[in-house]
């Protein structure tokens, strides 16, 4: 009934982080709270790190008002290809970027970026046309307003892109907690304060009930 | 013109309640009000009970911060299979869970859970691929934010899942009030305070107009 | 590229008003403001009247808490078939209702009702399956919450239903102002206070500039 | 403990409608829905009519883009003083306006207008300083945004103005339903569709329960 | 620096529930969700019961569209004075109502009702003028819109009324958990599903950690 | 996997601005802020100008309450065809309008207008049926409410229309900054105050760090 | 009854623009839309210019991430004192700033700035304590969130500050249109697109009705 | 004109953190996003640390469902008095708590806690009555809903409490950047990702412009 759903596979996937530059985030992103957006971007980045997925970074005019890539991303992925595009708006129009993807040999692309309607939507739709399976990390991508984001996400969904938040991506990659309970727990709780509270309460209860022993 | 719509049939349907655990609800669900969400979950559960649908419960790490299943669900379905998954995030990856579904012999799955984007979306999309008709109870499923829920619901709708609130599910199962006017009225009014007010006013009017007799 | 769009034609269309009963509106509709919703329902009704479209009314348990049909609809359509369903929730399950539609000989159905997810979605999807072109008047249909409405509209859109507000329906039926400028102007301005203000200002300007003559 | 509260008295009150002009409403009012705002203004006007309160109308540059007074107000109050201010922004700066108030001999002023922060706040605060008791009809007054309205209402509340919606004003004037049950019921239900629904349901119940007799 | 704050004392307080009638709630209350509002009203009522505070009920035209008092309140307080006002809108204008208050000998009034701007604000401000300490239970009081509620609450706050939600009232009455840990815990958790989840998780943890013993 | 996505090509595209008339914008558009909407319309218009795309203007009853075309559009495109429709609501029903499009020889249509659900949706869907590739500029199109816009956008997306905001359109036309860095930078920064701030800060930093030289 | 209200007088007022720096606006202001905020700031600035009020500019660490003052302000007020504070957060702690105010001899201060809770609230409350009449331009002041703004505005209102939007300030300064109809009309319409639409429609009507002559 | 404003002085202030327990935050706080709330609490805590203010911690039933204090607070203030209240809801009713405050010798109290309407409002109002200057950190305090928070903040503001967000508190304590530019910059930027972006862009520009040297 559906030929649409496919699961992200950690052996087939590469993460593309497009234009997470300090100026663009500061000046243009208004569909997520500031704290929330940074947390989401770093959560996606740390997910990539945790699963050892290849990561490709790209920027648009980083020597100018758009600003440099978030420093945390630079530090987290010191060896990742970083394509400073000399002018192409759609990263897919940049040969080095496409080549970097091809060199990974992966066919599933996880894309996030700023702004959603341009820096994410253009390469995402281009990649679908080029035969890739494309997954957009919706909450690690930001833009001018909720209305703009909605239009862009609708365009992508109708164009064959799958929409997922970072947490779904992490869970789809992990598949089974037993692959690394400790590691995966640390990954997600470090980006989900709500989950940290649960752990705190659980440990508190542990102290309460173990005390008599 | 459409090959999409199919009606839920009470002889073909099974209800899957995925990870409605006290910790997860408390720590993670933010797209519904607390009162409203609990009411929706119990409304779906009572709908299943009323129509005597088979129910399958499953949990993720219930001995830990995620917490136990909501006590009300445990009490309402003492004989339902309850699959405590040892690690699989997607319940569909758990053989016991799939086997429990197969044993019901039903081909229509009604799914709700916490969180929508993972615990609901993963098995829902897997089940579509496996040939089931899948109905997600949107308002008995909760997650981090309205934006995350929207992305997950879009993904599922494009993947062939039908989206319904609990009230639509109850009505689609009932089809005709005359099958049990009293019983169905009690079911829905006990979860719809707005409907209770209507009944209250109607009874008030009855007193007013019958008094002269 | 699309086989989807079809225009409403005033010679092919019938309007189905499902369960606009005082109790249901009062107790259950929360996705529109009270003033706004009543205005939208009456705007759709007056549109039907203006274009002399056949109208079919139906109610669910009108002798009970659901309450009678809105008095204004009863008065506006004294000769319309009014099917008081003895129990069927989906009006399409009521033979008299379907027969009343068939007797009009029309193949385009414009549907509105309360609540959107049940009383509208069920017959709308059934009618698509039965081969009709189905247009739902979104803003003359109400339900429990914006979230419930969104899920129901998504379900219908994916099921082949076209979504339009009453104003679009009126405009698609009118096609050309010259068919009756005066009449159509009166129709829409009587339900659009914003348009009335424009007319007021225009007449004010007329007075200003004609005074010297 | 409080020297603040005083009740509106129908023998002491006059209603001031400031600049409810078609252009201003159309172009500037954005803190209320269009349907809702018109309904609120007419509800206040009909309240004044019902209680036979003196009404004073005033406009700012009605021969120009601001447009004429809403035609409904002109027709409802054909004999009310209508002060077309030649330039004063604060109506209190216009001697004819103040004189018209003084001639009523009333000491309680009920003010509404467009825009709240200027055409309402200026005369309201001026009137407090001049020793009047001032009541602003918040929901029959409109302005650019909710944020602008909030600041203006805060300024007025701290300046000694009492804030009421039209319904509170009507109820405070009526004090006791028995003064005219029929009339007051008609007044409020004609502007509260929610109340009309209640009446409709009540009459429906009456039909149900009286039928056997 | 402030002469304003005073704490509610369970020996000095009486609870006034004004016009919580099924019709009024159904037709007019739109500033709270339906589930949420009913829960808040019952939470306040159960708080009064728990602390054995005197409760006075009053209604406006209960034989008519306004409908009877919520059945749950009638059952909870079978012996409370219930003043059916024959016409007075402000309950303070009804001598029996004021007398019922005086007979309790209490000087602190906790008021909730429908609608906030009329049925709550009028008696609340009247009572302040009459020398009572007045506490309005904001979330057990409902009205047409958030904007209307905000204006009414501002009016009351400036008029010397203290604004509290039901939970604050319960806590201010309880003062110390040790007065009845079990009872108070049951009271609040039965109206706070969020708190129930915490208890559920805590009990789950207890099972986990006690099992080895 | 998708046959849907196609990129706008500046050699194939024509811009259709439908009914951006002062009265319609003032009286009917409520889904965008006033400042924001005007900025979006002019941003799209200036984008068309910058890329030298053919532009076709059309109006509905401009000698009447709908008002004239925004003066800024008239001045920006003095030589564009301007089709004053004598009555057709759907611009596609006007032969001159369609002929004007055909004369451009372009097959990609970028459409914006007021109101979205009628003046945009009708010609957009008609054009898809006629074989054009259709791109709707969502944020340069306005209507009565967010709910109405959502239904109209959903209808169009399911009908084969691509949804883009003006910024995406500008970027898709530009493709590569190097085609005209200065010009494109001026275009977008003049409509994105957020981008202007980035430029301001960058120039400030330039002054800081170059000073020592 | 109130000793609070005082009207701004153009001979007594000075405008203080505090820290409208490109970085601070870009990185921190989230309670207004980007377009809207810039428009509001420039509207206040042009109001000051129009009434020839003395303006004092001040900045905090403009050689650093906070960025330079908005270039438009620098150009509009080339001769205004511009106090670059070397470290004081509260501008009132800077002697040059206070001296610049004293040198104007004015006793009414109109203050706007970024961020509202610090750069506005601190000097505003300090100035009240120092005996000035203080008016804060709420919509030309921005901060982290609506919640933060609300707390800061409440603090200021209770501290004796009057809250006004830029439009109220302009109107309170102008008092009477006849002081300069043309000039004042140009000032406000250039910052109110809604007002421009009204003028456009009025001119359109003028063309219509004058044509026959 | 105002006797209200007083500035926080780092030599006179003590910080009271009331019931920031993992269970309460998880189960009850819904007026702030989860990420945002944790950031605000830690920002206030680190502000206290930075200025070396005395801090007093208190908890309510920490051996139970309310859960232990946030682990981060325990670690940050290992030597702070931590009063585990045996039952008092209002911390001010606990002698040890009041004594701990008195022992600091400070007269300015900065209070934050969970939930705002109880754990913050009760001691804050009690402290005002006891003669302290009280400052509530609004955004480091959380509760059930925005509506509940608004009522509680209004009650406190009218009761003589000053409302500030954590950032205002930090700035009011710092007064002058030059007291420790580096330290204060680190403090605020570590809790303001928006500010971090500005620093990132500034450093990027520095690299750009210094490179040629």
């Amino acid at each position: 009934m559906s030929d649409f759903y496919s699961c992200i596979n950690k052996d087939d996937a590469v993460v593309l982080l497009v234009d997470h530059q300090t100026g663009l985030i500061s000046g243009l992103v208004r569909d997520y709270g500031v704290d929330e957006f940074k947390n989401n971007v770093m959560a996606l980045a740390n997910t990539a790190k945790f699963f050892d997925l290849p990561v490709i970074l790209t920027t648009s005019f980083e020597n100018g008002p758009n600003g440099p890539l978030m420093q945390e991303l630079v530090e987290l992925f010191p060896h990742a290809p970083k394509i400073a595009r000399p002018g192409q708006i759609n990263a897919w129009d940049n040969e080095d970027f496409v080549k970097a993807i091809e060199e990974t040999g992966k066919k599933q692309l996880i894309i996030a970026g700023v702004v959603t309607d341009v820096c994410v939507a253009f390469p995402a739709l281009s990649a679908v046309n080029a035969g890739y399976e494309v997954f957009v990390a919706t909450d690690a991508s930001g833009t001018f307003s909720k209305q703009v984001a909605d239009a862009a996400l609708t365009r992508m969904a109708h164009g064959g892109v799958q929409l997922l938040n970072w947490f779904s991506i992490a869970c789809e990659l992990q598949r089974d907690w037993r692959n690394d309970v400790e590691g995966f727990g640390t990954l997600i709780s470090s980006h989900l304060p709500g989950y940290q509270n649960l752990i705190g309460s659980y440990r508190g209860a542990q102290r309460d009930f173990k005390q008599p022993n």
Side-chain angles (χ1 to χ4, degrees), chain A:
Chain A
M1 188 170 288
S2 160
D3 59 354
F4 190 71
Y5 172 60
S6 59
C7 189
I8 307 177
N9 184 324
K10 73 181 170 192
D11 299 322
D12 275 351
V14 54
V15 174
L16 315 178
L17 300 178
V18 184
D19 304 351
H20 285 100
Q21 295 166 257
T22 56
L24 296 175
I25 294 172
S26 176
L28 307 186
V29 175
R30 292 294 183 278
D31 56 340
Y32 286 95
V34 179
D35 297 351
E36 188 187 13
F37 186 65
K38 180 167 178 196
N39 183 53
N40 291 346
V41 172
M42 292 315 299
L44 178 66
N46 282 319
T47 296
K49 190 81 174 182
F50 178 75
F51 291 104
D52 214 16
L53 301 186
V55 170
I56 297 168
L57 305 170
T58 179
T59 57
S60 166
F61 279 146
E62 66 182 53
N63 301 328
N66 293 354
L69 209 57
M70 286 168 60
Q71 185 61 17
E72 291 89 339
L73 293 180
V74 173
E75 289 169 10
L76 195 65
F77 303 115
H79 307 303
K82 193 178 133 206
I83 316 295
R85 307 193 308 280
Q88 302 95 342
I89 293 175
N90 181 351
W92 208 261
D93 288 343
N94 180 293
E95 291 187 11
D96 293 340
F97 182 74
V98 175
K99 196 175 302 172
I101 295 167
E102 288 169 355
E103 280 170 5
T104 67
K106 312 296 185 189
K107 296 301 279 180
Q108 293 187 322
L109 311 185
I110 298 167
I111 310 182
V114 172
V115 294
T116 312
D117 43 305
V118 171
C119 307
V120 176
F122 290 6
L125 290 164
S126 300
V128 172
N129 280 1
Y132 287 88
E133 286 188 324
V134 180
F135 303 83
V136 160
T138 53
D139 55 355
S141 301
T143 189
F144 306 98
S145 69
K146 187 74 169 50
Q147 284 167 304
V148 166
D150 285 348
L153 296 177
T154 297
R155 187 187 192 200
M156 289 192 270
H158 281 270
V161 173
Q162 293 204 50
L163 308 178
L164 294 91
N165 50 323
W166 76 262
F167 183 69
S168 298
I169 292 169
C171 289
E172 204 151 306
L173 288 162
Q174 176 71 8
R175 292 205 78 111
D176 195 310
W177 275 85
R178 291 167 298 184
N179 294 330
D180 180 354
V181 174
E182 187 78 11
F184 190 62
T186 301
L187 170 67
I188 67 174
S189 69
S190 67
H191 291 287
L192 290 174
Y195 207 78
Q196 279 177 298
N197 285 329
L198 298 181
I199 293 172
S201 282
Y202 193 68
R203 290 198 181 136
Q206 185 172 28
R207 273 194 299 272
D208 294 353
F209 296 115
K210 294 249 162 120
Q211 280 168 351
N213 297 358

